[in-house]
Amino acid sequence: MNNSGSGSEIQFLSEAQDDPQKRKPDIKKAKLMLGWEPVVSVGVPLEEGLNKAIHYFRKELEYQANNQYIPKPKPARIKKGRTRHN
């Protein structure tokens, strides 16, 4: 299955010595501060999920290549009752 259209060959390399064998990131901080939780769609075929990911990253790379991707800075937040120079 080559949905990406890439002509690159897959290379199987030995793992790095410090490569963790099991990954289980702690997402408590993301849940608490951002209200974010990962979403997994059960029953979505692998090929469909890969196609969505490929489409997303192609679009992102295209925006970046055309200098259309300009991160917008967030406005400074000032606590109530305080001036910026206190």
Side-chain angles (χ1 to χ4, degrees):
M1 165 172 45
N2 185 4
N3 298 347
S4 68
S6 172
S8 301
E9 290 184 31
I10 296 175
Q11 295 181 351
F12 295 94
L13 306 173
S14 57
E15 61 197 25
Q17 278 186 319
D18 61 348
D19 186 33
Q21 297 299 305
K22 192 173 191 179
R23 291 168 177 84
K24 189 174 180 185
D26 184 356
I27 60 170
K28 284 185 255 179
K29 193 172 184 179
K31 285 181 180 181
L32 179 68
M33 297 180 75
L34 304 173
W36 176 86
E37 289 188 336
V39 177
V40 178
S41 299
V42 178
V44 174
L46 174 63
E47 190 169 347
E48 182 181 333
L50 288 174
N51 285 335
K52 286 181 179 182
I54 290 167
H55 175 75
Y56 170 82
F57 283 108
R58 277 198 181 130
K59 186 174 156 186
E60 288 297 309
L61 291 171
E62 183 180 317
Y63 285 149
Q64 290 177 21
N66 294 325
N67 293 322
Q68 294 175 349
Y69 179 75
I70 302 171
K72 295 179 183 174
K74 294 181 181 179
R77 292 173 51 187
I78 301 172
K79 291 184 180 181
K80 290 183 179 180
R82 297 181 69 189
T83 63
R84 186 170 244 171
H85 300 288
N86 279 357

